[in-house]
Amino acid sequence: MDRKALLVPCGLVLGTSYLATSIPTTFALDRPLHTIAAVLLLSGLAVVAYETRAAQTRRPHSHSHSQRARHVAIPLQDGNGRPSSEEEWSSEERTPQYRGLGQRALAVMLAALLCLLGARIALFHAVLKDVECAGPQLTAFLPLLLALFHAYRTPKDRSQPAWSAESSSVTHLDRFVHFFLYGTTRYILPSLLLAISSFITTLRTSVLRSTYICPASTSAASLVPKLQFLGFLVDCILVLLLYRLVDEGLSQSESNSPEPKDGTTVHGLIGFTFIASAIVLGIVGIVVYTALPEHREWLFSAPREYLLGLLRLSLMIPLTMLCFLVSARMYGVMGAVLIAAFSCAFIGVLRALAMGVSYSFPPKSTAGVSLCLTLLTIALVLQLVADAIDSGQTRPKMPVRLGRNQTVSVVALLVLFSIGVGVYRYQWPVVGHPIDTLLAVADEQHERWAFQAHQSKSLAQAVVRYQERYLRDPPPHFDKWYEFATNRDTIVIDDFDNIEEDLIPFSSLKPAELRRRTAEILAHNEDLGGIRVRDGKAEIFGSLRSEQKWMLDGMIHMIGKFVEFIPDMDLAFNLNDEPRVAVPYEQFQAARMHHLHYPEHTAADGTIDFRLDRASTWKEIAGLPRVFDQAGKKPSFQTYGSVACSPESRAQKERRWDTGAFCSACSAPHSMGAFVANWSLSASPCHQPDLANLHGFHLSPAGLSGTHDLVPIFSQSRAPGYADIRYPSPWNYLDRQKYEFGENYPDPNFAKKENVLFWRGEATEGVSIAGSWKGMLQQRFVHLLNNETSRQPIFLPTGSKNGRLEYAMEYPEQIKEQLETKLDARFVGDLARCEGQDCVDQKLELWLGKDVDLRDHWRYRYLFDTDGAGFSGRFLPFLQSNSVVFKTALFREWYEGRLTAWKHFVPVDSRLHDLFSSLAYFGGYSLKEKGKRTMEPKDKQAEAIARNGKVWTEKVLRKKDMEIYMFRLLLEWGRLTDDRRKDVGFRMDTKGRKGTEGKGGS
């Protein structure tokens, strides 16, 4: 058996499989026109080079090819009276004389190919701009179209069996069997089944859509499906044209006619047409560069991840195309088409079946997808059977053909595989609700955290716990801090892991370097405020805008409660909402791995205080300041949001360019079913590449002024992946939004509140440019609750009495009618953070309402909270109320870990796909109709969350707790910036007595 006969089709299978799996997550489509031009150019060059080489190889053998011996075709004998006589086929019959297309017809077809490629590129680009509105593709029907065309254009006498003209006993069954298993019509039935299977799989896997907004108020919702259909029609013409040209090229190469004088084959001309298309795109780029200077940077900027994605496609597509051409020479055009089509179809079905399912989520019809696999298997079986029994009367003769026994074995394996995969991946309904489990787990987690956070009952115990926990002595003045904390009745003494997490990378830098970097960023003074501590007093230094001064005033007030015990230092506070320090993975990991290791000390070493001359070590720098990158109003996920992720993470390897597709693999690591099971992990970008499209901070931040250097900036909150040092926000400390109630604004018990999920807020996430508002979290939330039209998942009883539940896909209007909890979400104020047409589109699409007093929120049982450009300033007042807080957030604050999701609040995924299911659990579903999917409300569980959140917030998130945290943070920072940081520390002897105090030297 010729190895080439297997190697080339295997290459075609691998190539099409790779493209089918990689294109949905490629970075190359960030710049689709650049990518298409490069791929067309390289594909054209590859085809031309191959054809030039192949033509040179074929010329010496043309004479011997014409002198081949006569061929013998032996028809198979079956039980229907067909004779087994031999028929002789001459070489002329086997290889007909090539008459070919005329030059004029060929020129017209190539010109049409060039024009159609341009039209298809334009349509693809138009659809990609509003891809969230795109529906299922119809490309699965293209092989069927080619099969029909192939059967239509083949002469009838060539596809008739030898026995059909001689036997008068031919039945309709014989004709039916011959039509589907013999001759050129044998491709029709496999192609039909393949098309049906692939299309149903596409429909099944695209039911669950992202909440990325497809606005009904614009033309995109109606225009994009029409453009898709028009694109499909262009695809039909294109594939027919390419089929005709490729087949013409095969006839040319197999004929006895001489090669063209210039050596140019039909396939070579196809390659030149691809090159011409790429040149046309290049000319368009030159025109844009000349006419639109604002696009010049975008035209020539090429991030590393884009170049890698482009390189992969630019290699795989030409190689796959060459494998297709060689396979077409061996198996015919339709044979090569079906090899590629079956590869793509099996990849699609198997990916759908292999999709990870947790507690029946994401919802998928396993039976339906298994049926698709069965249909696809039948189609492949029919194709193999037809190949096995085909008499070989049709060109070309396949170099590899399975025998009958081999065919039976392959068929059996395929059938068993289809049945086995369907049974293995069957999605059974779930017994019990995941939220029941999450509530129980949350209780245990909270008890463990509360116990370990306050084990110390004395200063001596606190010192020992500190040494055991952090492998070093406490900082100087730890006794003052302990006295300060216990006098404020804190219940958190031992757990300050957030401070450790924030500061540990900075311990890799020398104290002098930390001081120098602080001076550099304060010298730049770009939305940074400085606080200077000298001789037990704190003051603001540097220039500030008047609207920012309140923040530093608040910090001065907070620090003033304990400033006498803080060593001299300069602090740089971020005055923007957004965090600023995003350190690349390698650099950040190196900083963590090379963090400071403290030597062991004994009580005999005594307590060593901070240096007395620290003030002289903090110097102002008059030289060039450290420059921050102005990253506002443009996507920041790849440049900042995910740079701290491992190169092997999904965020670094995948780009979810199809914003309308739901990424179940992205939510699975932090979820139990649809519900958030790990609140801390739920905001991590590393396993969630789709977060790039789901929050304004990643899409188009308003004021991101960032750096990739490890600089000590104190920020009120940060997104995972950033290295800012978190501190208690002056917004909460100064009660800029305060929990208050009274006669006019009562806060009744949970049971007496209105059964409503309520939200009012301004659109503050980011600045909407070029449609970026469609992915912002606040906009998606308001849109989902008011005018979403695509079906959404909701976890409900199956309707039987076995207590099982499953996810149902229902339209939002039906869900809202059946939910006992009503929904009320509106934007207030002007949608000002936008530019151009985005402002108009938002006002037309989103629901606006009147502004309400914060105290009006206490009327409702359920309050929804989401962050904006930074942390949410209303979260703490919401927790202090008697309402249940539903929270979704990207940013994390100083108290991360003190609150437990499902114990103190209800977490909601950033994709919002779990919101309706959580509301149905707590509020009830279909109680009026008492239908099969009725779910009784869990009022007691909801009230317990409201009570727990209120009580715990009043214990661990008080202003006093903010002061305690800040005191501890500045003591730790004081040690890190002290030149004797390995030695300074607070120590006690075995009897609990403070070690002999040493003076801070110079």
Side-chain angles (χ1 to χ4, degrees), residues 130-135 209 213-215 218 220-222 224-225 228 659-660 774:
D130 295 295
V131 70
E132 67 277 358
C133 298
R209 303 289 292 170
I213 299 172
C214 172
T218 66
S222 58
V224 170
Q228 280 187 282
T659 53
K774 294 180 287 187

Side-chain angles (χ1 to χ4, degrees), residues 83 92 127 208 390 403 614 648 737 787 868:
E92 288 77 10
V127 171
L208 180 58
D390 181 56
R614 282 175 57 98
E648 301 303 315
Q737 283 187 312
N787 50 354

Side-chain angles (χ1 to χ4, degrees), residues 172-363:
H172 290 293
L173 179 60
D174 292 328
R175 299 183 186 279
F176 179 84
V177 171
H178 170 261
F179 183 84
F180 287 114
L181 296 181
Y182 290 84
T184 57
T185 57
R186 64 190 175 90
Y187 297 114
I188 294 177
L189 185 57
S191 299
L192 176 63
L193 295 178
L194 185 150
I196 294 173
S197 171
S198 298
F199 187 65
I200 293 177
T201 301
T202 301
L203 292 178
R204 296 289 187 183
T205 54
S206 62
V207 172
L208 180 58
R209 303 289 292 170
S210 166
T211 51
Y212 198 96
I213 299 172
C214 172
S217 59
T218 66
S219 60
S222 58
L223 180 61
V224 170
K226 295 175 183 176
L227 292 177
Q228 280 187 282
F229 184 72
L230 181 59
F232 173 71
L233 295 180
V234 174
D235 286 338
C236 292
I237 302 173
L238 265 174
V239 296
L240 291 176
L241 191 58
L242 284 170
Y243 173 93
R244 185 70 180 87
L245 289 170
V246 172
D247 193 57
E248 185 73 15
L250 295 179
S251 300
Q252 182 187 58
S253 65
E254 294 177 0
S255 68
N256 297 327
S257 302
E259 295 283 348
K261 294 180 180 181
D262 57 359
T264 303
T265 64
V266 176
H267 290 172
L269 292 174
I270 296 174
F272 281 118
T273 306
F274 289 164
I275 296 173
S277 301
I279 293 174
V280 170
L281 282 175
I283 294 173
V284 172
I286 294 173
V287 172
V288 172
Y289 179 85
T290 305
L292 301 173
E294 63 272 17
H295 292 294
R296 290 178 182 177
E297 181 182 356
W298 178 84
L299 281 171
F300 290 98
S301 63
R304 174 179 172 274
E305 59 271 6
Y306 167 75
L307 292 176
L308 290 176
L310 176 62
L311 178 63
R312 294 186 183 102
L313 288 189
S314 298
L315 290 176
M316 288 305 302
I317 292 179
L319 289 175
T320 304
M321 192 175 295
L322 293 180
C323 288
F324 178 86
L325 289 177
V326 178
S327 298
R329 293 186 188 280
M330 297 189 295
Y331 301 98
V333 180
M334 274 310 303
V337 166
L338 286 181
I339 290 174
F342 273 115
S343 300
C344 290
F346 268 107
I347 287 294
V349 174
L350 293 177
R351 288 185 70 187
L353 284 170
M355 183 187 300
V357 175
S358 169
Y359 281 79
S360 297
F361 187 86

